[in-house]
Coordinates of all heavy atoms in Angstrom, one line a residue:
M4 N 85.9 111.2 102.0 CA 86.9 110.7 102.9 C 87.0 111.6 104.1 O 87.0 112.9 103.8 CB 88.3 110.7 102.1 CG 89.2 109.7 102.8 SD 90.6 109.2 101.8 CE 89.8 108.4 100.5
L5 N 87.1 111.2 105.3 CA 87.0 112.1 106.5 C 88.2 111.8 107.3 O 88.5 110.5 107.6 CB 85.7 111.9 107.1 CG 85.4 112.6 108.4 CD1 85.1 114.1 107.9 CD2 84.2 112.1 109.0
V6 N 88.9 112.9 107.7 CA 90.1 112.7 108.7 C 89.9 113.8 109.7 O 89.7 114.9 109.4 CB 91.4 112.8 108.0 CG1 92.5 112.8 109.0 CG2 91.6 111.8 106.9
F7 N 89.9 113.4 111.0 CA 89.7 114.3 112.1 C 91.1 114.9 112.6 O 92.1 114.2 112.5 CB 89.1 113.6 113.2 CG 87.7 113.2 113.0 CD1 87.4 111.9 112.8 CD2 86.7 114.1 113.0 CE1 86.0 111.5 112.5 CE2 85.3 113.8 112.7 CZ 85.1 112.4 112.4
V8 N 91.1 116.2 112.8 CA 92.2 116.9 113.3 C 92.1 117.0 114.8 O 91.2 117.6 115.4 CB 92.5 118.2 112.8 CG1 93.7 119.0 113.3 CG2 92.5 118.2 111.2
R9 N 93.0 116.3 115.6 CA 93.0 116.3 117.0 C 94.1 117.1 117.5 O 95.2 117.1 117.1 CB 93.1 114.8 117.5 CG 92.0 114.0 117.1 CD 92.0 112.6 117.8 NE 90.9 111.8 117.2 CZ 91.1 110.6 116.8 NH1 92.3 110.1 116.7 NH2 90.1 110.0 116.3
D10 N 93.8 117.8 118.6 CA 94.8 118.7 119.3 C 95.6 119.6 118.3 O 96.8 119.9 118.4 CB 95.8 117.8 120.0 CG 95.3 117.0 121.1 OD1 94.2 117.4 121.7 OD2 95.7 115.9 121.3
N11 N 95.0 120.2 117.3 CA 95.5 121.0 116.3 C 96.7 120.4 115.6 O 97.7 121.1 115.2 CB 95.9 122.3 116.8 CG 94.7 123.2 117.1 OD1 93.6 123.1 116.5 ND2 94.7 124.1 118.0
N12 N 96.8 119.2 115.5 CA 97.9 118.4 115.1 C 97.6 118.1 113.5 O 97.1 117.1 113.1 CB 98.3 117.0 115.5 CG 99.5 116.6 115.4 OD1 100.1 117.0 114.4 ND2 100.0 115.6 116.1
V13 N 97.8 119.1 112.7 CA 97.5 119.1 111.2 C 98.4 118.1 110.5 O 98.1 117.4 109.6 CB 97.5 120.4 110.5 CG1 97.2 120.4 109.1 CG2 96.5 121.4 111.3
D14 N 99.7 118.1 111.0 CA 100.6 117.2 110.2 C 100.1 115.6 110.4 O 100.2 115.0 109.4 CB 102.0 117.3 110.9 CG 102.6 118.7 110.6 OD1 102.2 119.3 109.5 OD2 103.4 119.2 111.3
H15 N 99.7 115.3 111.6 CA 99.3 114.0 111.7 C 98.1 113.6 110.9 O 97.9 112.6 110.3 CB 99.0 113.8 113.3 CG 98.7 112.3 113.6 ND1 99.7 111.3 113.5 CD2 97.5 111.7 113.8 CE1 98.9 110.1 113.8 NE2 97.7 110.4 114.1
A16 N 97.1 114.6 110.9 CA 96.0 114.4 110.1 C 96.2 114.3 108.6 O 95.6 113.4 107.8 CB 95.0 115.6 110.4
L17 N 97.1 115.1 108.1 CA 97.5 115.1 106.7 C 98.2 113.7 106.4 O 97.9 113.1 105.3 CB 98.5 116.2 106.4 CG 98.9 116.4 105.0 CD1 97.8 116.6 104.2 CD2 99.9 117.5 104.9
R18 N 99.0 113.3 107.2 CA 99.7 111.9 107.1 C 98.6 110.8 107.0 O 98.7 110.0 106.1 CB 100.7 111.6 108.3 CG 101.6 110.6 107.9 CD 102.6 110.3 108.9 NE 103.1 111.6 109.5 CZ 103.3 111.7 110.7 NH1 103.2 110.9 111.7 NH2 103.8 112.9 111.3
A19 N 97.6 110.9 107.9 CA 96.4 109.9 107.9 C 95.7 109.9 106.6 O 95.3 108.9 106.0 CB 95.7 110.1 109.1
L20 N 95.5 111.2 106.1 CA 94.6 111.4 104.9 C 95.4 110.8 103.7 O 95.0 110.1 102.8 CB 94.5 112.9 104.6 CG 93.8 113.3 103.3 CD1 92.4 112.6 103.2 CD2 93.7 114.7 103.1
K21 N 96.7 111.0 103.6 CA 97.6 110.5 102.6 C 97.6 109.0 102.5 O 97.6 108.3 101.5 CB 99.0 111.0 102.6 CG 99.1 112.4 102.1 CD 100.5 112.8 102.2 CE 100.7 114.3 101.7 NZ 102.2 114.7 101.9
K22 N 97.7 108.4 103.8 CA 97.6 107.0 103.9 C 96.4 106.4 103.5 O 96.3 105.4 102.8 CB 97.9 106.6 105.3 CG 98.4 105.1 105.5 CD 98.7 104.9 107.1 CE 99.9 105.6 107.5 NZ 100.2 105.2 108.8
K23 N 95.3 107.0 103.8 CA 93.8 106.6 103.3 C 93.8 106.7 101.7 O 93.3 105.7 101.2 CB 92.8 107.5 104.0 CG 92.4 107.1 105.3 CD 91.2 107.8 105.7 CE 90.8 107.4 107.2 NZ 89.6 108.0 107.6
M24 N 94.2 107.8 101.2 CA 94.2 107.9 99.8 C 95.1 106.9 99.1 O 94.6 106.3 98.0 CB 94.7 109.4 99.4 CG 93.6 110.4 99.9 SD 94.2 112.1 99.6 CE 94.1 112.2 97.8
Q25 N 96.2 106.6 99.6 CA 97.1 105.6 99.1 C 96.5 104.2 99.1 O 96.4 103.5 98.1 CB 98.3 105.5 99.9 CG 99.4 104.6 99.3 CD 100.0 105.1 98.0 OE1 100.2 106.2 97.8 NE2 100.3 104.2 97.1
R26 N 95.8 103.8 100.2 CA 95.1 102.7 100.3 C 93.9 102.5 99.3 O 93.6 101.4 98.8 CB 94.5 102.3 101.8 CG 95.1 101.3 102.5 CD 94.7 101.0 103.8 NE 95.4 101.8 104.7 CZ 94.9 102.6 105.8 NH1 93.6 102.7 105.9 NH2 95.6 103.3 106.6
E27 N 93.3 103.6 99.1 CA 92.1 103.6 98.1 C 92.5 103.6 96.8 O 91.7 103.3 95.9 CB 91.2 104.8 98.5 CG 90.4 104.8 99.8 CD 89.4 103.8 99.8 OE1 88.8 103.5 98.8 OE2 89.3 103.1 100.9
G28 N 93.8 104.0 96.5 CA 94.2 103.9 95.1 C 94.0 105.2 94.4 O 94.0 105.3 93.1
I29 N 93.8 106.3 95.1 CA 93.4 107.6 94.5 C 94.6 108.1 93.8 O 94.6 108.7 92.6 CB 92.8 108.6 95.5 CG1 91.5 108.1 96.0 CG2 92.7 109.9 95.0 CD1 90.8 108.9 97.1
F30 N 95.8 108.1 94.3 CA 97.0 108.6 93.7 C 97.2 107.9 92.3 O 97.6 108.5 91.3 CB 98.2 108.4 94.6 CG 98.2 109.4 95.7 CD1 98.3 108.9 97.1 CD2 98.0 110.8 95.5 CE1 98.2 109.8 98.2 CE2 98.0 111.6 96.7 CZ 98.1 111.1 98.0
R31 N 97.1 106.7 92.3 CA 97.4 105.7 91.2 C 96.3 106.1 90.1 O 96.8 106.3 88.9 CB 97.2 104.3 91.5 CG 97.5 103.4 90.5 CD 97.7 101.9 91.0 NE 98.0 100.9 90.0 CZ 97.2 100.5 89.1 NH1 95.9 100.8 89.2 NH2 97.6 99.7 88.2
E32 N 95.2 106.3 90.4 CA 94.1 106.8 89.5 C 94.4 108.0 88.9 O 94.3 108.3 87.7 CB 92.7 106.6 90.1 CG 91.6 106.8 89.2 CD 90.2 106.6 89.8 OE1 90.2 106.0 90.8 OE2 89.3 107.3 89.3
M33 N 94.8 109.1 89.7 CA 95.1 110.3 89.3 C 96.3 110.2 88.2 O 96.3 110.8 87.1 CB 95.5 111.2 90.4 CG 94.3 111.8 91.2 SD 94.7 112.6 92.7 CE 96.4 113.4 92.4
K34 N 97.2 109.5 88.4 CA 98.3 109.4 87.5 C 98.0 108.7 86.2 O 98.3 109.2 85.2 CB 99.4 108.4 88.3 CG 100.6 108.1 87.4 CD 101.6 107.2 88.1 CE 102.8 106.9 87.3 NZ 103.7 106.0 88.0
L35 N 96.9 107.8 86.4 CA 96.4 107.1 85.1 C 95.6 108.1 84.2 O 95.5 107.9 83.0 CB 95.7 105.9 85.4 CG 96.4 104.7 85.9 CD1 95.6 103.5 86.3 CD2 97.3 104.2 84.8
R36 N 94.9 109.0 84.9 CA 94.0 109.9 84.2 C 94.7 111.2 83.8 O 94.0 112.1 83.1 CB 92.9 110.3 85.1 CG 92.0 109.2 85.4 CD 90.8 109.6 86.3 NE 89.9 108.5 86.5 CZ 88.6 108.5 86.3 NH1 88.1 109.6 86.0 NH2 87.8 107.4 86.7
R37 N 96.0 111.3 83.9 CA 96.7 112.5 83.4 C 96.6 112.5 81.9 O 96.5 113.7 81.2 CB 98.2 112.5 83.9 CG 98.3 112.9 85.2 CD 99.8 113.1 85.6 NE 99.8 113.3 87.0 CZ 100.9 112.9 87.7 NH1 101.8 112.2 87.2 NH2 100.9 113.0 89.1
H38 N 96.7 111.4 81.2 CA 96.7 111.3 79.7 C 95.7 110.4 79.3 O 95.3 109.4 80.0 CB 98.0 110.9 79.1 CG 99.2 111.8 79.7 ND1 99.4 113.0 79.1 CD2 100.2 111.7 80.6 CE1 100.4 113.6 79.7 NE2 100.8 112.8 80.6
F39 N 95.1 110.5 78.1 CA 94.1 109.6 77.6 C 94.8 108.3 77.3 O 95.9 108.2 76.8 CB 93.5 110.2 76.3 CG 92.5 109.3 75.7 CD1 91.2 109.0 76.3 CD2 92.9 108.5 74.6 CE1 90.3 108.2 75.8 CE2 92.0 107.6 74.0 CZ 90.8 107.4 74.5
E40 N 94.1 107.2 77.6 CA 94.5 105.9 77.5 C 93.7 105.2 76.5 O 92.4 105.2 76.8 CB 94.7 105.1 78.8 CG 95.3 103.7 78.7 CD 95.3 103.0 80.1 OE1 94.4 103.3 80.9 OE2 96.1 102.4 80.2
K41 N 94.1 104.7 75.4 CA 93.3 104.0 74.4 C 92.7 102.8 75.0 O 93.4 102.1 75.9 CB 94.2 103.7 73.2 CG 94.5 104.8 72.3 CD 95.4 104.6 71.1 CE 95.6 103.1 70.7 NZ 96.5 103.0 69.5
P42 N 91.6 102.4 74.5 CA 90.9 101.1 75.1 C 91.7 99.9 75.0 O 91.8 99.0 75.9 CB 89.6 101.0 74.3 CG 89.3 102.4 73.9 CD 90.6 103.0 73.5
S43 N 92.5 99.8 73.9 CA 93.3 98.6 73.7 C 94.5 98.6 74.7 O 94.9 97.6 75.3 CB 94.0 98.6 72.3 OG 94.6 99.7 72.0
E44 N 95.0 99.9 75.0 CA 96.2 100.0 75.9 C 95.6 99.7 77.3 O 96.3 99.0 78.1 CB 96.7 101.4 76.0 CG 97.5 101.7 74.7 CD 97.9 103.1 74.6 OE1 97.4 104.0 75.5 OE2 98.6 103.5 73.7
K45 N 94.4 100.1 77.6 CA 93.8 99.8 79.0 C 93.6 98.4 79.2 O 93.9 97.7 80.2 CB 92.4 100.6 79.1 CG 91.7 100.4 80.4 CD 90.5 101.2 80.4 CE 89.9 101.0 81.8 NZ 88.6 101.8 81.8
R46 N 93.1 97.6 78.1 CA 92.8 96.2 78.3 C 94.3 95.4 78.4 O 94.3 94.6 79.3 CB 92.2 95.8 77.0 CG 90.8 95.5 77.0 CD 90.2 94.7 75.9 NE 90.8 95.0 74.6 CZ 90.2 96.0 73.8 NH1 89.3 96.7 74.2 NH2 90.8 96.3 72.6
A47 N 95.3 95.9 77.8 CA 96.6 95.3 77.9 C 97.1 95.5 79.3 O 97.6 94.6 80.0 CB 97.5 95.8 76.8
R48 N 97.0 96.8 79.8 CA 97.5 97.0 81.1 C 96.7 96.3 82.2 O 97.3 95.7 83.1 CB 97.3 98.7 81.4 CG 97.7 99.0 82.8 CD 97.5 100.4 83.1 NE 96.2 100.9 82.7 CZ 95.2 100.9 83.5 NH1 95.2 100.2 84.6 NH2 94.0 101.4 83.2
E49 N 95.3 96.2 82.0 CA 94.6 95.5 83.0 C 94.9 94.0 83.1 O 95.0 93.4 84.1 CB 93.1 95.8 82.9 CG 92.7 97.1 83.3 CD 91.3 97.3 83.0 OE1 90.6 96.5 82.3 OE2 90.7 98.4 83.4
M50 N 95.2 93.4 81.9 CA 95.5 92.1 81.7 C 96.9 91.7 82.4 O 97.1 90.8 83.1 CB 95.6 91.6 80.2 CG 95.6 90.2 80.1 SD 94.2 89.3 80.8 CE 94.0 88.0 79.6
S51 N 97.8 92.7 82.1 CA 99.2 92.5 82.7 C 99.2 92.6 84.2 O 99.8 91.8 84.9 CB 100.2 93.4 82.1 OG 100.0 94.7 82.5
E52 N 98.3 93.6 84.7 CA 98.1 93.6 86.2 C 97.5 92.3 86.8 O 98.0 91.9 87.9 CB 97.3 94.8 86.5 CG 97.9 96.2 86.3 CD 97.0 97.4 86.5 OE1 95.9 97.1 86.8 OE2 97.5 98.6 86.3
A53 N 96.5 91.8 86.0 CA 95.9 90.5 86.6 C 96.9 89.4 86.6 O 96.9 88.6 87.5 CB 94.7 90.2 85.7
I54 N 97.6 89.4 85.7 CA 98.7 88.3 85.6 C 99.7 88.6 86.8 O 100.1 87.5 87.4 CB 99.5 88.2 84.2 CG1 98.4 87.8 83.1 CG2 100.7 87.4 84.3 CD1 99.0 88.0 81.7
R55 N 100.1 89.7 87.0 CA 101.1 90.0 88.1 C 100.5 89.6 89.4 O 101.1 89.1 90.2 CB 101.4 91.5 88.0 CG 102.6 91.9 88.8 CD 103.1 93.3 88.7 NE 103.0 93.8 87.3 CZ 102.3 94.8 86.9 NH1 101.5 95.5 87.7 NH2 102.3 95.3 85.6
R56 N 99.1 90.0 89.6 CA 98.5 89.7 90.8 C 98.4 88.2 91.0 O 98.7 87.6 92.1 CB 97.1 90.2 90.8 CG 97.0 91.7 91.4 CD 95.5 91.9 91.6 NE 94.6 91.6 90.6 CZ 94.2 92.4 89.6 NH1 94.7 93.6 89.5 NH2 93.4 92.0 88.7
T57 N 98.1 87.4 90.0 CA 98.0 86.1 90.0 C 99.3 85.4 90.5 O 99.4 84.5 91.2 CB 97.4 85.4 88.8 OG1 96.2 86.0 88.4 CG2 97.1 84.0 88.9
R58 N 100.3 85.8 89.7 CA 101.7 85.3 90.0 C 102.1 85.6 91.5 O 102.7 84.7 92.1 CB 102.7 85.9 89.1 CG 102.5 85.2 87.7 CD 103.6 85.8 86.8 NE 103.6 85.3 85.5 CZ 104.0 85.8 84.4 NH1 104.7 87.0 84.4 NH2 103.9 85.3 83.2
K59 N 101.7 86.8 91.9 CA 102.1 87.0 93.3 C 101.3 86.2 94.2 O 101.9 85.6 95.2 CB 101.7 88.6 93.6 CG 102.1 89.0 95.0 CD 101.8 90.5 95.2 CE 102.2 91.0 96.5 NZ 101.8 92.3 96.7
L60 N 100.0 86.0 94.0 CA 99.3 85.1 94.9 C 99.9 83.6 94.9 O 100.0 83.1 95.9 CB 97.8 85.0 94.5 CG 96.9 86.1 94.8 CD1 95.6 86.2 94.2 CD2 96.7 86.2 96.3
L61 N 100.1 83.1 93.7 CA 100.8 81.9 93.6 C 102.1 81.7 94.3 O 102.4 80.7 95.0 CB 101.0 81.4 92.1 CG 99.7 81.1 91.3 CD1 100.0 80.9 89.9 CD2 98.9 79.9 91.8
R62 N 102.9 82.7 94.2 CA 104.2 82.8 94.9 C 104.0 82.7 96.5 O 104.7 81.9 97.2 CB 105.0 84.1 94.6 CG 106.4 83.8 94.0 CD 107.1 85.2 93.7 NE 106.5 86.4 93.9 CZ 106.0 87.3 93.0 NH1 106.1 86.8 91.8 NH2 105.5 88.3 93.3
K63 N 103.1 83.6 96.9 CA 102.7 83.5 98.4 C 102.1 82.1 98.8 O 102.4 81.7 99.8 CB 101.7 84.6 98.7 CG 102.4 86.1 98.7 CD 101.5 87.0 99.2 CE 102.1 88.3 99.3 NZ 102.1 89.0 100.4
R64 N 101.4 81.5 98.0 CA 100.8 80.2 98.4 C 101.8 79.2 98.3 O 101.9 78.3 99.3 CB 99.7 79.8 97.4 CG 99.1 78.5 97.7 CD 98.1 77.9 96.7 NE 97.1 78.8 96.4 CZ 96.4 78.6 95.3 NH1 96.6 77.6 94.5 NH2 95.4 79.5 94.9
L65 N 102.8 79.2 97.4 CA 103.9 78.2 97.4 C 104.7 78.5 98.6 O 105.2 77.4 99.2 CB 104.7 78.5 96.0 CG 105.9 77.6 95.9 CD1 105.5 76.1 95.7 CD2 106.7 78.0 94.7
E66 N 105.0 79.7 99.0 CA 105.9 80.0 100.1 C 105.1 79.5 101.4 O 105.7 78.9 102.4 CB 106.0 81.5 100.2 CG 107.1 81.9 101.1 CD 107.2 83.5 101.0 OE1 107.8 83.9 100.1 OE2 106.7 84.1 101.9
R67 N 103.8 79.6 101.5 CA 103.1 79.4 102.7 C 102.7 77.8 102.8 O 102.9 77.2 103.8 CB 101.8 80.1 102.7 CG 101.0 80.1 104.0 CD 99.8 81.0 104.1 NE 98.9 80.8 102.9 CZ 98.7 81.8 101.9 NH1 99.1 82.9 102.0 NH2 97.9 81.5 100.9
E68 N 102.2 77.3 101.6 CA 101.8 75.9 101.7 C 102.6 74.9 101.1 O 102.5 73.7 101.3 CB 100.3 75.8 101.1 CG 99.3 76.7 101.8 CD 98.0 76.8 101.0 OE1 97.9 76.1 99.9 OE2 97.2 77.7 101.4
G69 N 103.5 75.3 100.3 CA 104.5 74.5 99.6 C 104.0 73.7 98.3 O 104.6 72.9 97.9
Y70 N 102.8 74.3 97.8 CA 102.5 73.7 96.3 C 101.8 74.9 95.7 O 101.5 76.0 96.0 CB 101.5 72.6 96.6 CG 100.2 72.8 97.2 CD1 99.1 73.3 96.3 CD2 99.9 72.6 98.6 CE1 97.9 73.6 97.0 CE2 98.7 72.9 99.1 CZ 97.8 73.4 98.4 OH 96.5 73.7 99.0

């Protein structure tokens, strides 16, 4: 990941870096890797995330298209 510092503005570059890392999901992955997750727990978590994503998409489609 690459962020340029312009005009010695490190604060702006740091903010841009954090935003990029957030978008890539690095913070979330670090949080998940703090402790070992059993394979069964991982499957259950991924399944619940998939269900949540699907419901969100359906909600947005209903809002946008009406069905």
Side-chain angles (χ1 to χ4, degrees):
M4 203 166 294
L5 185 67
V6 176
F7 294 106
V8 178
R9 296 186 183 127
D10 301 327
N11 285 334
N12 195 349
V13 178
D14 292 331
H15 184 70
L17 185 61
R18 195 173 324 138
L20 176 66
K21 285 182 179 180
K22 199 178 290 186
K23 278 187 178 185
M24 290 174 72
Q25 182 72 31
R26 248 184 265 129
E27 292 292 323
I29 293 174
F30 290 125
R31 187 170 180 278
E32 189 174 334
M33 285 172 29
K34 182 180 176 184
L35 286 172
R36 288 180 183 234
R37 281 189 190 144
H38 303 286
F39 177 74
E40 185 177 29
K41 290 180 8 183
S43 60
E44 292 173 347
K45 183 178 180 180
R46 266 194 311 274
R48 178 182 50 80
E49 288 176 349
M50 190 63 143
S51 67
E52 288 174 356
I54 291 170
R55 195 175 317 120
R56 270 194 314 271
T57 306
R58 286 182 181 159
K59 184 177 180 181
L60 282 173
L61 289 174
R62 234 184 358 260
K63 285 188 177 227
R64 184 188 304 162
L65 180 67
E66 195 177 279
R67 187 176 54 240
E68 298 171 6
Y70 66 88

